[in-house]
Amino acid sequence: MRREGGRCGSDQGAFAADHRRVRAIAGTLSDRMDEMRRDFDWLVSDRMIEQAVDMARLGQSHDSIAQTTGVSSAELDAIRKLRRH
């Protein structure tokens, strides 16, 4: 079904251009969301390590620190070694 004056083709072209712009904006938003998620994960991880260090300084048990913070055994070993210095 064609519109008068050949406008159907130009409408499709405009729609395609709009669609490309929307996809580009969505891609940019997705990239920013990924970046924000990485920053948030880093901040949470950094905060958990700080909390684990504080707990180690207070003499909390290895199990208590791991359960509270989610810090791995290897990270706890490193924290305990650093705590001595």
Side-chain angles (χ1 to χ4, degrees):
M1 184 180 229
R2 291 194 71 192
R3 289 185 170 178
E4 288 182 33
R7 291 185 61 201
C8 185
S10 66
D11 287 347
Q12 287 176 344
F15 176 79
D18 287 344
H19 187 260
R20 283 190 299 274
R21 281 192 290 273
V22 168
R23 286 180 58 86
I25 290 168
T28 299
L29 288 174
S30 179
D31 291 346
R32 290 289 294 143
M33 291 286 292
D34 289 343
E35 182 180 332
M36 289 171 59
R37 193 173 298 117
R38 283 189 302 273
D39 289 347
F40 180 77
D41 289 345
W42 179 83
L43 287 171
V44 168
S45 175
D46 190 51
R47 178 64 191 121
M48 290 296 109
I49 291 171
E50 287 177 19
Q51 185 176 2
V53 168
D54 291 341
M55 291 176 76
R57 283 187 184 132
L58 294 172
Q60 296 285 323
S61 73
H62 194 88
D63 291 336
S64 177
I65 296 170
Q67 187 175 29
T68 301
T69 64
V71 173
S72 73
S73 291
E75 290 169 322
L76 286 173
D77 290 339
I79 288 168
R80 291 207 184 272
K81 288 175 184 175
L82 289 173
R83 191 185 78 157
R84 291 186 217 142
H85 297 287

